Amino acid sequence: AKIDLSELYAHDAIIVKDGLVSNPSSPECNFYFKKNPDIIFFESNAKIDGKEGWHLVQLILQIALLLNVKYIFTAGGITGSVSLNDEIDIKFISNNEDTRNFLYTYGLDPLPYGEISGINGILLAAAAKKGLNIAYLRGTIPAYAYNWILAYPKVSLEIIKIFTNIIGVSIDYSEFYEETKSVNDILKVIDAQMQDSYKNKNSEDMLTNFSTLDNQHKKDIIPEDVIDRIEHLFTEVSQNKSLAMELKRELDKWKLFRKYEKRFLDLFKS
């Protein structure tokens, strides 16, 4: 099942290629159902809050009520003073004592105080009004990672492990481990550059600036259709950061990440 966002979501930018407008693809909101145990997954790449976010949440919760959902779980991250090598710290926020006590039985710790904003905050508030049991799991990510990487799979992996423990299923984590390694490789580069900047070194000299090569030189080295695809992905990622890993994989495939590295990392600067 899907939720049509055409009346809720408005693009704030367009993509242009060769002087022609190409409208970016609309975000998706999809429901997936699994039996034994009965689980409903909701997945979306839409970034909506405010009035539109409240309307979207109402649609989600209507389905939860219709299907007699017992618990709703959502998750997210917050920046903190942690490094890549620190243990992942997951805290929970629940909307009633029964849900809180339920999560205590799995050894989870509550968030002692704080504020939840965005779509997760809206979801928590709206579910409470409808009498639905809901819990939000929040992981802490390195502060410098927030503006560079849309998803932090190390936290995602830990949250998925908590979910699978609660619902009593086992899954293959290999894809998460691969994604975690890929993102960590990027963050290690960022961390190294930050250290160099801190030491007043010129990090620009450490990178090979592929953009200084003329177009013909690029085409002599890499097939033209590959260069075109990479350029297209750069444009897409500038509008939709969730495609960043697809671009990273394409650059790695052709051993071009070091050449495009600065441009890639610039995509995630605020």
Side-chain angles (χ1 to χ4, degrees):
K2 294 183 178 182
I3 294 179
D4 183 5
L5 291 181
S6 59
E7 299 299 321
L8 294 178
Y9 189 84
H11 294 290
D12 57 5
I14 60 171
I15 295 174
V16 177
K17 183 176 181 180
D18 297 330
L20 297 176
V21 171
S22 174
N23 291 326
S25 57
S26 296
E28 296 184 353
C29 290
N30 299 315
F31 288 93
Y32 304 93
F33 178 70
K34 179 189 180 302
K35 288 188 175 183
N36 299 319
D38 294 345
I39 309 167
I40 301 169
F41 296 94
F42 175 74
E43 180 185 43
S44 177
N45 59 353
K47 297 185 68 175
I48 301 178
D49 53 17
K51 182 178 179 180
E52 293 78 11
W54 181 264
H55 184 64
L56 174 60
V57 163
Q58 296 305 311
L59 295 175
I60 295 171
L61 295 181
Q62 283 177 19
I63 294 175
L65 287 169
L66 181 65
L67 298 176
N68 296 315
V69 170
K70 186 175 181 180
Y71 289 105
I72 299 173
F73 292 99
T74 182
I78 187 173
T79 59
S81 300
V82 297
S83 71
L84 292 176
N85 298 321
D86 288 340
E87 292 293 322
I88 297 299
D89 181 32
I90 305 293
K91 294 287 191 287
F92 76 80
I93 301 92
S94 58
N95 66 335
N96 57 52
E97 290 187 5
D98 287 342
T99 305
R100 183 181 64 181
N101 292 335
F102 173 72
L103 294 174
Y104 278 149
T105 64
Y106 291 92
L108 300 176
D109 296 321
L111 182 72
Y113 60 88
E115 179 179 314
I116 310 299
S117 59
I119 196 70
N120 282 312
I122 295 173
L123 187 58
L124 286 163
K129 285 189 175 183
K130 293 183 180 295
L132 290 163
N133 299 318
I134 185 170
Y136 171 52
L137 300 183
R138 189 171 78 174
T140 304
I141 69 174
Y144 61 81
Y146 179 78
N147 290 326
W148 300 75
I149 301 297
L150 183 66
Y152 189 59
K154 192 174 181 180
V155 164
S156 301
L157 175 60
E158 193 64 27
I159 289 174
I160 291 296
K161 287 181 177 180
I162 292 172
F163 284 156
T164 55
N165 185 34
I166 290 174
I167 61 182
V169 300
S170 59
I171 63 173
D172 181 5
Y173 295 113
S174 58
E175 189 173 328
F176 284 97
Y177 290 133
E178 291 175 7
E179 199 79 355
T180 297
K181 182 181 183 304
S182 183
V183 170
N184 279 352
D185 288 344
I186 296 173
L187 291 177
K188 284 177 183 177
V189 173
I190 297 171
D191 185 68
Q193 290 182 340
M194 292 179 65
Q195 293 296 326
D196 289 336
S197 297
Y198 181 76
K199 296 175 183 178
N200 295 320
K201 289 184 178 180
N202 186 358
S203 60
E204 292 288 334
D205 293 338
M206 299 174 62
L207 302 174
T208 303
N209 190 351
F210 194 50
S211 63
T212 59
L213 296 176
D214 59 70
N215 289 334
Q216 187 57 48
H217 190 186
K218 292 179 185 178
K219 293 173 183 177
D220 289 341
I221 301 172
I222 303 296
E224 184 175 356
D225 63 326
V226 174
I227 295 296
D228 289 343
R229 171 168 170 73
I230 288 172
E231 291 299 327
H232 176 73
L233 283 171
F234 267 107
T235 303
E236 288 286 314
V237 173
S238 69
Q239 303 295 327
N240 183 358
K241 297 297 189 298
S242 66
L243 298 174
M245 297 316 299
E246 182 179 349
L247 172 58
K248 174 66 165 54
R249 283 190 287 268
E250 187 71 14
L251 294 173
D252 287 342
K253 175 181 176 181
W254 295 94
K255 303 186 186 305
L256 289 174
F257 182 72
R258 289 295 296 174
K259 295 182 181 295
Y260 280 97
E261 184 175 18
K262 183 179 183 300
R263 185 177 171 191
F264 180 86
L265 297 179
D266 285 346
L267 289 168
F268 303 95
K269 291 183 178 179
S270 57

